[in-house]
RNA sequence: GGGCCUGUAGUGUAGUGGAUAGCACAUAAGCCUCCGGAGCUUAUAUCCUGGGUUCAAAUCCCAGCAGGCCCGCCA
């Protein structure tokens, strides 16, 4: 809704600029605390026009002509700023639109196909609290982009032939797998043991090399062994992801690109560019003129491929099927991903958009699957849910066990996901149990609570027969500050989705969600709904509560959180 | 040693050129016999340091300091 209003404002101001004889390519429009939209264009024009911005703003405002049916109520200048205010009808129409659009409000304005890769952790153990930062950022981004209107396909890129997987496969042949454990945890046990073994006895490294050569050459028995190891780990990882409401459309395997010949094709294309050379038997690409100090190895001296090479083939394949290719990667991939982009552009292929998130470390240092130093996502979810259970038990003692369990599952997951997504990806963080289990007041559960509150009012109103969802209402009677603030906030959903999908920053939506819940709770506190002074007002406020319910459930869905009707 | 990212109340963070630096936790004080108190209101900041660019800098540039990540024929 905000986007439509902004379009009107843009057109009115552009026409005024024309009349004044001013030229500006950017009107510098943004939502503001001083108006529905503000423009700072007068600052931009000041030096070219050799006038002070205040005068320019005044002149622009004077020449503005507001069309008859516009949502614009008035345009005024405040010093150098141009402030634009919307008519009350803008708010009324927002409510109508929310009801009409059910679930799609504030979205659907973008189009195109996107392939989004996220998580892609090595299948050598369970996801830990660092991996799920990738998963939560990736999945939230997926939901944002989908809401914005894109056709989004999510990928988990499975390393099924690298050194780590060879080690897992070797470990399975040498140690017993604990069948009583969750599969990915059992894999981690043998993987850690194998790494310790390899460190003690470096000669064993040759056995690993041999396995990798066999896989690369297509040896069926070894491939099957690798596949079993990978499947076993992925099964557990998939379970963990589903507990967080995260699902991938495709699990794409690295080995597919070796077997299809795509990797050899890429190598041939690079050779044609004359950038490759041999170095100690390995094939390398010289990227020095692009600012990379060292050569990039694309083929080992024994002829086997590397992650980088397979990744090039994978990206070339993705780019052929989508308009945009987006990867969510950890900070350790910064260098390799910029090398990947460079090489792709050298062979004339589109580059992916890459979102880098910084590391989650433990107070005692960084996490490592190999060394067994990590906190698993399963462990985190379990402990948070237990904590949530005691919270629910305390607040709703009268409810049954099933209710408490279900609510603590929804609330626990929301707390974990929101905690991760609210922080900007470029900040590195230190995982702290105390903080993770502290149900911070305005996190995911707070947004869910606001939704449950809205549901509760509607339930009561329905029981009392004062309201049903099909009722008409008159938005013009909603004039309290908190009512207007709440509707304005809801109207701005499209702007939040637009910004988040342009900048690929899911935390923008997390902040929006919290602000929306704030606006709802302020309305709730100051304005009586069921005991409104007259019936018409009561019905309109109920409609507002219903709209809030719809938008809150929508925003919860965009964040991947469930929307309990009672908690 | 080189490269990239980060540095904002006691703590965790939002804000990446413009109007009073937003929020939470913790601390302190308050809120309707009324729709769910996981709520609402109020109090607390040398924006790491030093230079520079600009009409305007937390935001851009340079130098330093602190933390994270990378610089593998690992992924």
């Amino acid at each position: 809704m905000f986007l439509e209003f902004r379009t009107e404002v843009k057109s009115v101001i552009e026409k005024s600029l024309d009349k004044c004889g001013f030229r500006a390519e950017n009107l510098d429009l943004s939502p503001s605390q001083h108006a529905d939209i503000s423009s700072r264009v007068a600052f931009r024009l000041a030096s070219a026009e050799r006038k002070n911005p205040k005068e320019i703003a005044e002149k622009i405002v004077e020449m503005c002509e507001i069309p008859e049916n516009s949502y614009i109520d008035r345009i005024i200048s405040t010093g150098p700023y141009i402030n634009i205010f919307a008519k009350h009808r803008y708010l009324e129409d927002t409510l109508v639109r929310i009801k009409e659009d059910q679930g799609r409000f504030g979205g659907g304005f973008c189009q195109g196909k996107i392939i989004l890769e996220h998580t892609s952790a090595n299948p050598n153990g369970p996801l830990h609290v660092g991996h799920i930062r990738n998963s939560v950022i990736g999945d939230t981004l997926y939901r944002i982009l989908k809401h914005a209107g894109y056709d989004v396909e999510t990928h988990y890129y499975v390393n099924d032939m690298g050194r780590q997987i060879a080690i897992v496969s070797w470990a399975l042949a040498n140690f017993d797998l604990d069948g009583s454990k969750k599969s990915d945890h059992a894999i981690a046990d043998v993987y850690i043991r194998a790494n310790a073994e390899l460190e003690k006895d470096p000669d064993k490294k040759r056995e690993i090399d041999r396995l990798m050569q066999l896989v690369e050459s297509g040896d069926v028995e070894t491939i099957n062994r690798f596949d079993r190891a990978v499947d076993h780990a992925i099964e557990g990882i998939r379970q963990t992801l589903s507990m967080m409401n995260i699902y991938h459309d495709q699990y794409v395997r690295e080995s597919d690109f070796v077997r299809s010949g795509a990797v050899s094709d890429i190598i041939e294309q690079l050779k044609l560019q004359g950038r490759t050379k041999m170095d100690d038997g390995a094939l390398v690409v010289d990227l020095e003129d692009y600012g990379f100090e060292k050569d990039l190895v694309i083929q080992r001296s024994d002829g086997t491929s590397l992650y980088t090479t397979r990744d090039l083939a994978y990206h070339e394949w993705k780019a052929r099927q989508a308009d945009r290719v987006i990867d969510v990667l950890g900070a350790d991939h910064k260098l390799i991903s910029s090398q990947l982009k460079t090489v792709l552009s050298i062979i004339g292929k589109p580059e992916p958009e890459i979102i880098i998130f910084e590391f989650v470390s433990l107070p005692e240092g960084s996490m490592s699957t190999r060394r067994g130093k990590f906190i698993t996502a399963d462990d985190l979810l379990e402990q948070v849910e237990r904590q949530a259970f005691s919270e629910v038990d305390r607040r709703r003692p009268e409810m049954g066990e099933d209710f408490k369990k279900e609510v603590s599952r929804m609330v626990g997951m929301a707390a974990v996901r929101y905690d991760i997504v609210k922080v900007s990806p470029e900040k590195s963080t230190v995982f702290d149990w105390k903080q993770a289990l502290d149900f911070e007041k305005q996190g995911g559960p707070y947004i869910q609570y606001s939704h449950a509150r809205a549901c509760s009012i509607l339930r009561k109103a329905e029981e009392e027969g004062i309201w049903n969802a099909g009722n008409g209402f008159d938005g013009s009677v909603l004039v309290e500050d908190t009512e207007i603030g709440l509707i304005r906030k809801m109207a701005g959903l499209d702007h939040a989705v637009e910004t988040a999908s342009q900048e690929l920053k899911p935390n923008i939506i997390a902040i929006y969600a919290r602000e929306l819940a704030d606006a709802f709770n302020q309305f709730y506190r100051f304005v009586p709904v069921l005991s409104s002074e007259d019936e018409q007002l009561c019905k309109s406020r109920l409609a507002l509560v219903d709209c809030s319910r719809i938008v809150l459930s929508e925003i919860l869905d965009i964040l991947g959180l469930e929307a309990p009707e009672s908690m």
Side-chain angles (χ1 to χ4, degrees):
Chain A
M1 208 58 187
F2 177 84
L3 298 187
E4 286 159 49
F5 178 57
R6 190 181 62 187
T7 305
E8 287 186 2
V9 169
K10 200 168 168 229
S11 142
V12 167
I13 298 202
E14 269 167 358
K15 280 183 191 143
S16 164
L17 288 178
D18 264 358
K19 278 190 258 173
C20 299
F22 297 150
R23 296 193 62 132
E25 62 269 33
N26 182 2
L27 296 185
D28 209 348
L29 294 173
S30 63
S32 153
Q33 51 188 325
H34 307 279
D36 289 291
I37 291 187
S38 294
S39 169
R40 297 183 293 251
V41 71
F43 286 111
R44 301 273 167 293
L45 295 165
S47 59
E49 299 296 328
R50 291 163 193 254
K51 282 189 188 132
N52 77 54
K54 185 167 176 287
E55 269 175 65
I56 292 174
E58 279 163 8
K59 185 156 181 213
I60 293 170
V61 167
E62 198 182 316
M63 299 308 275
C64 278
E65 274 182 61
I66 302 168
E68 193 76 15
N69 294 323
S70 172
Y71 282 133
I72 302 169
D73 180 42
R74 60 189 201 283
I75 300 178
I76 60 169
S77 63
T78 308
Y81 300 92
I82 299 169
N83 288 328
I84 301 99
F85 297 87
K87 284 183 186 143
H88 198 271
R89 191 168 58 79
Y90 166 67
L91 304 177
E92 293 162 36
D93 284 6
T94 297
L95 297 181
V96 172
R97 190 71 70 77
I98 291 168
K99 290 224 169 205
E100 281 172 4
D101 290 357
Q102 292 267 350
R104 295 152 171 272
F105 175 74
F109 42 78
C110 290
Q111 50 192 350
K113 170 79 184 270
I114 296 179
I115 293 179
L116 171 64
E117 178 201 339
H118 71 81
T119 307
S120 303
N122 276 334
N124 56 3
L127 296 178
H128 60 55
V129 295
H131 294 129
I132 62 168
R133 188 169 193 194
N134 189 321
S135 312
V136 171
I137 291 170
D139 185 65
T140 309
L141 217 40
Y142 154 70
R143 289 161 183 276
I144 292 166
L145 293 167
K146 196 173 59 158
H147 192 82
Y150 291 104
D151 172 16
V152 193
E153 185 176 300
T154 50
H155 284 191
Y156 188 120
Y157 189 44
V158 184
N159 168 12
D160 64 340
M161 58 183 304
R163 170 156 258 117
Q164 278 86 338
I165 303 317
I167 294 171
V168 174
S169 177
W170 180 86
L172 286 174
N174 287 279
F175 310 121
D176 289 332
L177 195 72
D178 185 346
S180 67
K181 275 194 167 177
K182 186 161 170 277
S183 60
D184 47 348
H185 292 249
I187 291 283
D189 288 349
V190 295
Y191 175 71
I192 293 160
R193 233 176 118 187
N195 273 291
E197 195 76 17
L198 287 165
E199 214 161 298
K200 261 193 294 178
D201 186 359
D203 286 349
K204 295 237 163 71
K205 188 176 162 288
R206 274 198 289 276
E207 295 177 31
I208 306 294
D209 289 344
R210 177 77 190 134
L211 286 173
M212 293 201 308
Q213 285 157 18
L214 284 168
V215 162
E216 189 94 10
S217 67
D219 180 76
V220 176
E221 197 195 322
T222 317
I223 288 172
N224 287 340
R225 275 177 58 193
F226 271 46
D227 279 351
R228 272 199 302 279
V230 167
D231 289 345
H232 208 59
I234 288 290
E235 187 195 324
I237 287 171
R238 209 192 285 246
Q239 272 176 35
T240 305
L241 289 171
S242 79
M243 304 250 291
M244 290 191 298
N245 205 10
I246 298 173
Y247 305 90
H248 287 84
D249 294 314
Q250 283 201 54
Y251 281 71
V252 181
R253 294 185 172 236
E254 286 189 18
S255 61
D256 291 348
F257 298 94
V258 173
R259 270 166 232 158
S260 72
V263 169
S264 323
D265 281 357
I266 289 283
I267 291 173
E268 288 312 310
Q269 287 183 53
L270 271 165
K271 281 183 179 165
L272 283 174
Q273 296 294 323
R275 286 201 163 259
T276 53
K277 60 181 183 193
M278 297 306 283
D279 182 6
D280 262 339
L283 187 67
V284 302
V285 190
D286 181 355
L287 299 174
E288 204 183 343
D289 49 334
Y290 286 89
F292 298 102
E293 282 177 40
K294 295 182 182 169
D295 293 341
L296 178 68
V297 181
I298 55 169
Q299 197 170 44
R300 294 190 184 95
S301 45
D302 66 1
T304 56
S305 61
L306 288 109
Y307 158 80
T308 320
T309 334
R310 289 172 238 134
D311 212 22
L312 284 166
Y314 174 47
H315 278 86
E316 193 270 335
W317 177 72
K318 285 197 280 192
R320 270 188 278 131
Q321 308 171 62
D323 305 304
R324 288 172 77 184
V325 172
I326 302 172
D327 300 340
V328 182
L329 298 171
D332 52 340
H333 283 67
K334 268 185 227 176
L335 178 63
I336 196 77
S337 63
S338 57
Q339 286 168 329
L340 175 92
K341 282 187 178 183
T342 304
V343 173
L344 283 169
S345 81
I346 286 171
I347 56 173
K349 308 293 180 191
E351 299 171 31
E353 298 168 64
I354 295 182
I355 300 147
I356 296 288
F357 67 93
E358 291 291 329
F359 266 46
V360 180
S361 54
L362 300 175
E364 58 269 29
S366 56
M367 275 181 277
S368 156
T369 305
R370 186 167 49 81
R371 286 180 288 129
K373 293 187 74 178
F374 54 85
I375 290 167
T376 68
D378 293 326
D379 204 7
L380 172 65
L381 285 165
E382 194 195 316
Q383 303 243 33
V384 170
E385 274 177 35
R386 192 177 306 161
Q387 180 69 27
F389 188 90
S390 72
E391 299 279 335
V392 181
D393 195 37
R394 186 164 58 79
R395 292 166 215 264
R396 306 293 296 274
E398 77 286 2
M399 301 303 279
E401 191 76 1
D402 286 352
F403 172 88
K404 289 176 190 167
K405 273 205 177 122
E406 180 63 1
V407 170
S408 50
R409 188 187 61 74
M410 292 195 275
V411 164
M413 192 270 272
V416 168
R417 278 191 70 141
Y418 191 89
D419 247 12
I420 293 170
V421 79
K422 73 172 184 192
V423 180
S424 195
E426 66 269 14
K427 303 257 187 188
S428 52
T429 59
V430 177
F431 181 82
D432 173 21
W433 271 115
K434 203 176 144 230
Q435 216 178 298
L437 294 176
D438 175 25
F439 272 61
E440 200 181 299
K441 292 259 160 54
Q442 299 203 347
Y446 168 74
I447 300 153
Q448 292 177 314
Y449 177 74
S450 309
H451 176 265
R453 248 184 170 177
C455 290
S456 170
I457 297 176
L458 296 171
R459 209 180 303 125
K460 190 152 282 184
E462 243 163 357
E463 279 164 16
E464 290 175 19
I466 357 178
W467 187 77
N468 76 70
N471 280 355
F473 64 93
D474 176 10
S476 69
V477 299
L478 301 172
V479 294
E480 296 293 332
D481 282 353
T482 56
E483 291 169 336
I484 291 168
L486 175 56
I487 305 171
R488 265 185 83 186
K489 197 76 222 171
M490 294 196 285
L493 175 63
D494 52 6
H495 185 244
V497 170
E498 181 194 61
T499 314
S501 51
Q502 271 166 4
E503 297 179 18
L504 300 176
K505 291 185 99 176
N507 60 310
I508 288 174
I509 295 297
I511 291 155
Y512 174 83
R514 201 214 64 225
E515 287 172 352
L516 178 63
D518 282 344
F520 178 74
N521 283 314
Q522 279 157 26
F523 156 75
Y524 179 92
R525 168 67 179 77
F526 286 108
V527 179
V529 177
L530 296 178
S531 50
S532 300
E533 47 268 43
D534 70 72
E535 199 188 316
Q536 190 50 50
L537 191 57
C538 176
K539 284 203 167 128
S540 297
R541 283 181 180 159
L542 280 165
L544 174 55
V545 173
D546 193 33
C547 288
S548 308
R549 192 209 94 231
I550 293 167
V551 180
L552 282 164
S553 78
E554 224 175 279
I555 201 75
L556 284 166
D557 184 57
I558 297 176
L559 290 170
L561 317 184
E562 287 166 89
E565 292 181 9
S566 173
M567 62 187 268

